[in-house]
Every structure is written in C-alpha cells, then in structure tokens.
Amino acid sequence: MKVLQNVILTMFLLALSTNQIRGEESKQLIKRIGFGSCLEQWNPQEIWKPIIESKPDLFLWLGDNIYYDSYIAEEKKYYYHLLTNRKEFIELKKISRMLFTWDDHDYGINDSGAEYEDKVTSQKVFLEAFEEKKDSPRWNRPGIYDSYYFGQKGKRLQVIMLDTRYFRSELKRDWKIIFGFKKNIPNTDKQATVLGDAQWKWLGEELEKEADLRIIVSSIQLVNTFHPFEKWGNFPNERKRLFDLITSKKAKRVIVLSGDRHMSELNVEKENTPYPIYDFTSSSLNKPFKFIEPEVSEKRIGKAIVEENFGTIDINWDDKIPNIIFKIISLGGKQEFTHKIN
C-alpha cells in the first residue's frame, strides 16, 4: 500500500510540475509567425490581404491594436468591436492562432503607464474584446502579461507577452519639444520600473522553463536607444535588468519583437549579452510616419522601413539549431527586408 501511495504521489508531483509550464499548451509546431502593431481603425486597411496570404501559424498583435485615447476605458469597447468584427480579422482568426498585448493607445492614453487611473477596467475591456479564455490567469492578476508554449521537446517555442504599460513608472522629460511632444530622457531612479515587481518575478520563472526558441513580445523597443520616443532606454536600469536576467537564467535563443515606432527595423544587441539578441520591430500596419526621417541606429541591420507593413519569422526546425528568417512585408506582399540567422 505504501508503495502504491508513493507512486500516486510521484505521479501527482510530475503532473503538477508539468502544469507549471502552462495549463494551455499546444503541440502545434509553429513554422511561421506573423506580427504587427499600430492599426488605425479609420485608415485604409489594405495590409490585411498580404497578411492573410502569408498564412502565419501564429499572429502576434504587439499593441496599439486600436486607436482611442480615453480616460474612460469603457469607451474603447466600440473600437475593439470594429476590429474584431472585420471580415479580415475573422478570416485571419480561422487560419492563425492570435495572441495579443497592448500599447498606450489601446491601454489608456498616449504614453500612459501605471498612472492611468482606469487601467483595471481597461484590462477587463481588453480581455473581453479578444475573448480571453475564462481560465486564463490574465483575469485574476493585474496586467495582461502571459506566456504560451507550442510544439514538443526539441521543437518547443515559448512566447512571452509582456505588459509594458500597467506597471510602468512615469516618463521623465525635458523642455525640448519634438513633433509637439516633450523629449523623453533616461529615468535613472532606482525605484523606476517598466514591468513591476510581480511581473519581473514571473518573467524570471518563465525564463527557467524548457524552450528551444523564445519570443519575448515588448510593445516598445528594447535594443534601439537612439531616438527620443518611448523605449526601454528611457529606463536604463530596467533595460540592463532584462539583459542580465536573460544571462543569469541561461535562457537560450531569445528574440524580442516590438512595435510602436510607425517604422520597422531589425536591431541587435551584442554588448553584455550571452549571445546576439535581436529586436525585430514591425510598425505600422496602416499608420506609417513617412514624414519622419528614421534616426541612425548603431544597432540596426539593414534599413528602416516606413511603408505600411507587417513582420514574419520563418522557423526551420529541421536543423539541430533552427535557422530563422526575418521578413518585413508591405502592401502587395512586397518583401521590404529579409535577414537570416542560424
């Protein structure tokens, strides 16, 4: 009897350990990831056609999925409805698994962070709009961060969706005005945060879990620090903390996806990192800032793209170390940028 009890206990502990990966875990092998950000509901949306034609297994919404700045989060419901009831959205949903995070214009108001007063309601409105499963931990904790797993051992993809809004400290700014906004400057206060204590703790635990390729989704750019807009570089201690965490957890094959910028580019960080960490930015789906000349980034590979676009990542799992192809695709399915890494 004691032996049987020990066997049952062991099986229970193993099951519990397995569930720590994630209750919702798909065995689907992800070969193509599509992603994009900054979709203005009133602008033409010709980008849907090439997105659907690319047939991504997984499509990641990086934020600013709608544009409606409001101090009253309930007012955002109508604009989410416009998105989720578009026939193209419904068509993409049929062929691709979709995952979502937010940025400032769907979270609250422009450049908002933890100070946004209606964020609790905003989270509820967001989760309802995208039909978040009722057993999702997103319903039971502040912030919309979460992780997802696809594939099986040896070909396991981990997708970490960060929330860079709910907990983020206020931006620090100087008197210079750029395009009508005060210039952001580094906030070096040791108490300033991007993710908040609970999310940092959670992220550390996630990076310890088994994965062969990790995608970290951040609505704002991590690597590029050479522009005056929103970025992890506005909080240099937090930026360093993320690189240090990846290093200390020995998390292999981390790729960062970001949006927000209304231009697209690939940047790579090689300093004080365990390996080159790529930050692949796709923005905007239909709201490009063609009148702004892209800044010079010492971390950029190739050129910056200011056309309407979305990004793709193709993963070849047949190699021992899967090779990866980054692409930026614009209207008409034109490939604006391609880069391969092994």
Side-chain angles (χ1 to χ4, degrees):
M1 180 62 71
K2 188 173 182 180
V3 172
L4 179 59
Q5 289 176 338
N6 288 338
V7 170
I8 293 173
L9 178 61
T10 301
M11 291 175 65
F12 172 77
L13 292 175
L14 284 173
L16 184 62
S17 175
T18 301
N19 287 336
Q20 292 304 307
I21 292 179
R22 179 174 164 80
E24 180 191 348
E25 181 182 8
S26 171
K27 293 183 179 179
Q28 179 187 8
L29 184 65
I30 301 297
K31 295 182 179 180
R32 173 169 292 168
I33 301 171
F35 63 101
S37 66
C38 306
L39 184 68
E40 165 64 71
Q41 60 268 15
W42 305 127
N43 289 352
Q45 298 187 18
E46 300 173 54
I47 198 66
W48 283 109
K49 187 174 188 292
I51 290 175
I52 291 169
E53 288 177 345
S54 72
K55 297 180 179 179
D57 301 311
L58 182 66
F59 194 86
L60 306 177
W61 294 81
L62 310 186
D64 289 341
N65 309 307
I66 61 165
Y67 275 77
Y68 190 72
D69 290 19
S70 176
Y71 291 99
I72 304 172
E74 287 278 348
E75 294 180 350
K76 297 176 183 288
K77 283 185 174 181
Y78 172 71
Y79 301 95
Y80 281 124
H81 177 81
L82 291 180
L83 170 61
T84 60
N85 282 273
R86 283 190 68 97
K87 62 181 177 62
E88 299 95 337
F89 181 94
I90 295 169
E91 186 176 352
L92 180 61
K93 190 175 181 180
K94 289 178 180 177
I95 64 173
S96 305
R97 175 69 192 279
M98 294 187 191
L99 301 178
F100 305 84
T101 193
W102 56 21
D103 204 28
D104 49 345
H105 297 291
D106 40 0
Y107 162 71
I109 61 172
N110 185 55
D111 291 354
S112 53
E115 74 280 1
Y116 180 61
E117 293 183 359
D118 208 18
K119 59 186 179 181
V120 173
T121 302
S122 186
Q123 178 170 341
K124 179 176 180 290
V125 169
F126 178 94
L127 297 178
E128 288 175 346
F130 294 122
E131 298 179 338
E132 189 75 13
K133 293 183 178 181
K134 293 304 179 183
D135 61 349
S136 168
R138 283 174 150 185
W139 289 105
N140 300 314
R141 64 188 178 203
I144 61 168
Y145 59 93
D146 206 352
S147 64
Y148 305 82
Y149 291 81
F150 300 89
Q152 301 183 58
K153 186 175 177 61
K155 297 182 179 181
R156 183 185 295 278
L157 170 69
Q158 178 191 41
V159 179
I160 296 174
M161 306 290 283
L162 295 181
D163 184 338
T164 62
R165 291 293 165 184
Y166 199 99
F167 309 96
R168 198 215 67 201
S169 301
E170 288 194 65
L171 296 168
K172 187 175 181 180
R173 290 168 164 169
D174 70 6
W175 57 271
K176 295 179 182 178
I177 303 295
I178 299 178
F179 304 115
F181 298 96
K182 292 182 180 180
K183 177 183 176 183
N184 297 319
I185 59 176
N187 184 343
T188 57
D189 184 342
K190 292 183 179 180
Q191 302 302 315
T193 187
V194 173
L195 300 183
D197 292 342
Q199 188 175 187
W200 272 117
K201 182 177 184 295
W202 168 86
L203 179 58
E205 293 169 352
E206 288 299 316
L207 292 177
E208 292 177 342
K209 296 175 183 177
E210 179 185 354
D212 301 289
L213 177 63
R214 303 175 195 270
I215 303 292
I216 296 181
V217 172
S218 166
S219 61
I220 56 174
Q221 288 186 313
L222 173 67
V223 173
N224 185 347
T225 60
F226 302 100
H227 59 84
F229 309 109
E230 288 199 272
K231 55 186 180 291
W232 278 80
N234 294 330
F235 301 89
N237 295 330
E238 292 284 273
R239 182 178 184 271
K240 181 179 183 299
R241 182 176 180 178
L242 181 51
F243 288 126
D244 288 348
L245 188 64
I246 293 170
T247 301
S248 66
K249 298 298 182 179
K250 299 180 180 178
K252 61 184 179 181
R253 299 304 302 269
V254 170
I255 293 171
V256 176
L257 300 184
S258 57
D260 179 61
R261 286 296 315 282
H262 300 272
M263 55 168 261
S264 297
E265 61 178 349
L266 178 65
N267 289 277
V268 61
E269 183 61 68
K270 298 179 180 179
E271 298 178 10
N272 301 314
T273 60
Y275 47 81
I277 294 180
Y278 294 86
D279 181 355
F280 194 22
T281 303
S282 176
S283 176
S284 162
L285 290 166
N286 75 335
K287 193 179 174 67
F289 286 174
K290 297 183 181 181
F291 57 89
I292 300 178
E293 184 71 22
E295 74 284 348
V296 175
S297 170
E298 297 173 4
K299 312 285 186 178
R300 183 183 296 141
I301 296 173
K303 64 178 181 179
I305 292 95
V306 295
E307 308 298 325
E308 295 96 324
N309 72 84
F310 68 101
T312 63
I313 296 177
D314 288 325
I315 308 167
N316 181 0
W317 293 102
D318 294 332
D319 294 341
K320 186 175 181 180
I321 300 177
N323 66 63
I324 295 165
I325 300 176
F326 299 114
K327 294 179 183 178
I328 290 294
I329 301 173
S330 62
L331 298 182
K334 180 182 177 182
Q335 292 187 19
E336 298 282 353
F337 172 85
T338 301
H339 185 76
K340 179 178 179 180
I341 62 173
N342 294 314

